């Protein structure tokens, strides 16, 4: 595969994530859209890094660290959403915005 195809797939992932993040009311679906956006950025960065310096393992290490950070961020986000739902039965972004005190 060429760099153009990788960047096209990365742009498609980012676009789908952006659409999902902007159109969904559910907090979980919003988080899924953000994860798709981050996945597109990481795919694009990894593809560019591979084509610029294919012998270097720095890009692979950066991708693994970024995916680990994404997994931790998603786990913390789901924990916050679960706690919010259990405490106040709130699962939509409009209702969660009204909880500001």
């Amino acid at each position: 595969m060429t760099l153009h195809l990788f960047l096209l797939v990365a742009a498609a992932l980012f676009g789908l994530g952006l659409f999902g993040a902007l159109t969904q009311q559910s907090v979980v679906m919003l988080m899924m859209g953000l994860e798709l956006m981050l996945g597109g950025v990481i795919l694009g960065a990894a593809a560019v890094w591979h084509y610029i310096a294919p012998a270097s393992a720095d890009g692979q290490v950066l991708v693994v660290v970024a995916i680990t950070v994404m997994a931790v961020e998603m786990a913390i986000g789901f924990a916050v959403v679960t706690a919010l739902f259990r405490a106040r039965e709130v699962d939509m972004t409009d209702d969660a915005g009204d909880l500001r005190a």
Side-chain angles (χ1 to χ4, degrees):
M1 289 181 66
T2 65
L3 178 61
H4 297 295
L5 290 176
F6 276 115
L7 293 179
L8 185 66
V9 171
L13 275 175
F14 188 85
L16 283 172
L18 183 64
F19 177 76
L22 292 177
T23 60
Q24 297 298 319
Q25 292 284 326
S26 172
V27 176
V28 174
M29 294 299 288
L30 175 72
M31 289 173 53
M32 289 175 66
L34 292 175
E35 288 296 317
L36 275 174
M37 290 170 62
L38 286 172
V41 169
I42 289 173
L43 177 65
V48 168
W49 201 300
H50 174 72
Y51 280 94
I52 289 175
S56 175
D58 295 339
Q60 295 173 359
V61 171
L62 181 66
V63 167
V64 169
V65 168
I67 290 174
T68 304
V69 168
M70 281 175 51
V72 169
E73 174 256 334
M74 195 59 136
I76 292 171
F78 277 131
V80 168
V81 169
T82 302
L84 186 62
F85 183 76
R86 286 183 180 174
R88 305 229 172 109
E89 302 266 335
V90 171
D91 64 344
M92 298 299 215
T93 55
D94 293 339
D95 298 335
D98 293 338
L99 296 177
R100 205 182 306 173

